[in-house]
Structure formats: structure tokens, C-alpha cells
Amino acid sequence: MAMRELVVLGTASQAPTRRRNHNGYVLRWDDEVILFDPGEGSQRQLLHTTVTATDLTRICVTHFHGDHCLGLPGTIQRLSLDRVPHTVAVHFPAEGAQYFARLRHASSFYETAELAVQPIETDGQRIPLRSGTLEARRLRHPIDTYGYRLVEPDGCRMLPEKLSAYGIAGPAVGELLRVGHLDVGGRRVTRDEVSVPRPGQRFAFVMDTGLCDGVYALAEHADMLVIESTFLDSEAALAAEVGHLTAAQAARVATESGVRQLVLTHFSQRYGDTSRFVDEAREHFDGDLVIAEDLITVPVPPRRVASAG
């Protein structure tokens, strides 16, 4: 059965703490299992989850600061150790290709896994997937950084009572979906007459950045927004200086962008109590709020339900 959920491997920024591993996030999305920003220790964190290296189909790196990429050598070598039979795509900022090359071959190993290296070269670059489109948008950070979002195409939900009223059943339903209309009893029935829109789901992943157009483009109408909130508002000046967000800024982005579920993560090691992040975010966002903790699993919210009218 198709599954859409986020598995959190680590939630620390810059340096791990006793409670928080370096970054690492796995998105299960139907037949895609995408590892985002594998920081140091990600391979070991996977052992505490139901995800294995063999499950991975894609790796996305936002930028080449260590807390977002130092887990790449171990993860890549594990793909070969486990003789993963399928190709694993890897995306990262093209400007950081030299860092990826060094990390990929950081030590001697027998490489058997096949990687499809597909750098992100332009703002707005799109990668087609079977279940939607993966899009990269440029963010604002001291080095080249991209965020990612996965967008499922909009569809429609057929209404059984209306299909029944027109006597449409069995293979005819599939034909109506494909063609858009069906001639029944001398009358043409259109797809719109027997269905309601079904908005596609959207997932957004925003790491190290100051506020910029890319943040809002990624977050727009996201069902789940995973976003860094390195600092609290008391350190807003520092956040702006080093290219990071506060919990309040992330929450305002979520509200202004129509986000349904907000997942805050990437916490500075200076904060031991994350309840302050809850309090700050709640001043600006009243939707579903998750403060990420290592090794939790967060289901992607169910699809929005359109009214039958």
C-alpha cells in the first residue's frame, strides 16, 4: 500500500548534541524513498528506523555544510555494501560538485551501487518522478543552497452516486477518466459532471536560509513543510547575519503560504528546551505543528477533500 511519511533521523544544527544527531530526513512517497541532507551519523540512525539503505531511491542535498552532508560517504558506501540493485539518483547544488566528488570517494571501497548524479544547475529545476515532480529553488545562505519540494499533479475524485445515476460502472469508469467524456444512452457525460477536484499533495523541504522568494515558493500550499528554525526571535539579528530562520519567521511563512502541517527542525545547540519554539511558532501559526525529535515518524496529512457541491 502506498505510504507517505517523514522519518526524522536527526534534528541538530552545526554540531550534534547528546539528544540530537546531525540532520537527516527520509521521505517515503509511494515508490520513492528520498534521503534529505544526510549529516554525520545518518547511516547509524537508519538502523533505529524501518528504513534501510536498500529502500533509498534518491538522495537530495541542500548544500555542503558538514551538518547536511557528512553522512554521504557512509551512506554511499552502504549502498554498495548492501548491493542495492536499483539506481539511486543524487541531487545537490552543481556549484558544490567538487565536495560531492570528495565525499563520494572519501575512502577506499568496492563500488557496486549505481548512482545517477544529477546536480541542480538552475533555480526552479524540475525532476520528473512517477508520482509527481521534484522541484529545486535557490535559497539565501553563505554558500550555494537549494530547497526542494515534491508536487503531485491535481486529479479528480469520482462520485459513485453520480456515476450510478448515469449508469456508468466497471471499465467505463476508467474510460471516462482517460478520455474526459463518455456517451451514455444518447447523452454525453463529462468527467466534471461525475467528479470533484482532488488537489495533489505537496511536500516542501527548506533548510539553511534567510527569508527569500525561494522559501515562499517552496512552501506555497504545502501539505507538509519541513523547515529549519535554528534560532528563537531573541537571536533574530544573528539569524539574519548567518543566513538562518527563527521559529517565528518559519511560522509566519507557513501561515502566509497556506501550509497545513509545519515541522520545525535544525535547532541550535544553545537551546535545550524546545517548548520555547512551540510558544513562539504558535503566535503566528495555528495549524498542525510538529517539533521534530530524532527518530520520530510523521505521516503526511491526508489529501485535502474537495466538496461535491
Side-chain angles (χ1 to χ4, degrees):
M1 188 170 74
M3 180 185 302
R4 294 184 178 183
E5 63 182 15
L6 176 75
V7 180
V8 179
L9 305 181
T11 57
S13 70
Q14 193 174 54
T17 71
R18 294 189 180 201
R19 290 182 50 244
R20 297 186 181 278
N21 199 74
H22 260 174
N23 283 285
Y25 312 85
V26 175
L27 177 68
R28 296 184 194 263
W29 187 282
D30 300 348
D31 60 342
E32 289 280 352
V33 182
I34 306 173
L35 173 62
F36 290 92
D37 279 6
E40 184 180 351
S42 290
Q43 180 186 183
R44 186 173 186 277
Q45 292 293 91
L46 279 175
L47 298 177
H48 296 287
T49 73
T50 58
V51 183
T52 69
T54 304
D55 295 328
L56 300 179
T57 60
R58 197 171 300 271
I59 300 172
C60 294
V61 177
T62 59
H63 65 296
F64 285 101
H65 278 155
D67 53 327
H68 297 261
C69 67
L70 286 178
L72 274 172
T75 301
I76 289 173
Q77 291 186 29
R78 187 59 182 267
L79 297 176
S80 286
L81 179 66
D82 291 356
R83 297 188 179 276
V84 173
H86 54 265
T87 300
V88 177
V90 187
H91 310 290
F92 53 84
E95 297 88 344
Q98 72 274 25
Y99 297 117
F100 176 75
R102 294 170 192 165
L103 290 165
R104 180 178 184 177
H105 298 291
S107 67
S108 175
F109 73 104
Y110 182 54
E111 187 172 29
T112 62
E114 183 176 346
L115 300 184
V117 179
Q118 301 171 8
I120 303 300
E121 299 178 338
T122 58
D123 184 23
Q125 184 170 327
R126 289 178 169 86
I127 299 105
L129 310 180
R130 286 180 57 184
S131 52
T133 301
L134 184 67
E135 180 181 350
R137 296 303 299 262
R138 186 176 289 276
L139 299 175
R140 184 164 63 83
H141 200 52
I143 65 172
D144 293 298
T145 303
Y146 287 89
Y148 299 90
R149 72 171 181 165
L150 204 164
V151 179
E152 177 186 44
D154 293 338
C156 64
R157 179 171 63 88
M158 306 302 281
L159 301 172
E161 66 278 8
K162 293 197 174 183
L163 290 170
S164 178
Y166 288 110
I168 301 172
V173 177
E175 183 180 351
L176 177 57
L177 272 171
R178 290 191 304 273
V179 179
H181 59 81
L182 195 67
D183 293 326
V184 181
R187 184 189 187 285
R188 174 156 291 188
V189 179
T190 67
R191 182 171 49 209
D192 291 344
E193 290 179 273
V194 294
S195 68
V196 292
R198 187 208 66 189
Q201 287 184 307
R202 297 185 177 195
F203 168 87
F205 186 78
V206 177
M207 283 294 118
D208 300 17
T209 184
L211 284 177
C212 61
D213 291 344
V215 172
Y216 290 96
L218 292 165
E220 182 181 9
H221 299 308
D223 293 280
M224 176 187 283
L225 168 63
V226 180
I227 187 169
E228 68 119 316
S229 57
T230 308
F231 297 106
L232 293 170
D233 248 5
S234 53
E235 283 75 45
L238 174 61
E241 179 183 341
V242 297
H244 280 292
L245 297 174
T246 67
Q249 287 174 321
R252 285 195 292 267
V253 166
T255 295
E256 293 169 15
S257 302
V259 169
R260 296 175 64 200
Q261 184 181 64
L262 173 63
V263 181
L264 297 182
T265 188
H266 195 271
F267 306 108
S268 168
Q269 60 266 33
R270 72 185 62 206
Y271 307 112
D273 180 11
T274 54
S275 66
R276 298 167 63 191
F277 287 83
V278 176
D279 295 340
E280 194 165 285
R282 277 295 179 219
E283 294 180 13
H284 307 280
F285 179 75
D286 61 5
D288 186 3
L289 174 64
V290 176
I291 302 299
E293 297 289 345
D294 289 21
L295 304 179
I296 67 169
T297 296
V298 187
V300 175
R303 287 189 178 90
R304 303 172 196 259
V305 177
S307 171

